[in-house]
Amino acid sequence: MSIEHDACCNLAERLDDVFEEIDSDTCTDLRKNDGEYAEMWHEAIRLKQEFSVIEEVTEGSGALSLSAEEHNALIRYLALSNSMENAERKQIYFRGHMDCYAYLKKIGAI
């Protein structure tokens, strides 16, 4: 195998080991640098604190009954979670492109 291929495989293995850290850093960076994301994050936290049933639905088990207000809060929370996840995925996608470009330059492929 070539040195470039070995280096690429080693990089992939290393990324597997640090992905959770990259994901966490991405969320932290978005909260600090993206006002819209930060607002969604704060609202999601507020909803979870105000409506304990959200945590029961997302992390618990068993049957639940929701009031109309709780149902609306849950729907809003799930929409916020989805929007935040999309922003996180987009950020990781573009970070991957930047890292790939830097790596290809480093190994002399470009």
Side-chain angles (χ1 to χ4, degrees):
M1 284 189 194
S2 71
I3 293 172
E4 289 86 10
H5 182 268
D6 289 344
C8 184
C9 289
N10 291 338
L11 176 64
E13 290 171 10
R14 286 194 320 266
L15 287 175
D16 279 345
D17 294 338
V18 297
F19 182 76
E20 286 185 32
E21 184 179 335
I22 291 169
D23 188 47
S24 177
D25 290 348
T26 297
C27 295
T28 300
D29 289 344
L30 282 168
R31 284 194 307 270
K32 288 181 181 176
N33 300 311
D34 184 324
E36 184 178 350
Y37 182 92
E39 287 177 21
M40 289 188 292
W41 185 75
H42 285 293
E43 184 178 355
I45 288 174
R46 181 192 60 76
L47 286 168
K48 279 182 85 171
Q49 290 172 341
E50 189 174 337
F51 298 94
S52 61
V53 72
I54 291 173
E55 193 165 335
E56 293 174 42
V57 169
T58 59
E59 298 180 29
S61 62
L64 294 171
S65 179
L66 304 176
S67 69
E69 183 181 26
E70 290 170 329
H71 185 250
N72 288 335
L74 176 62
I75 289 171
R76 177 65 183 150
Y77 174 82
L78 293 174
L80 288 167
S81 294
N82 187 50
S83 295
M84 289 168 52
E85 183 175 346
N86 287 340
E88 293 159 12
R89 287 178 180 211
K90 182 178 172 183
Q91 191 77 4
I92 289 172
Y93 176 80
F94 287 120
R95 178 178 174 166
H97 282 272
M98 292 182 334
D99 289 348
C100 181
Y101 179 77
Y103 180 71
L104 291 173
K105 274 186 83 170
K106 182 178 182 174
I107 65 169
I110 55 173

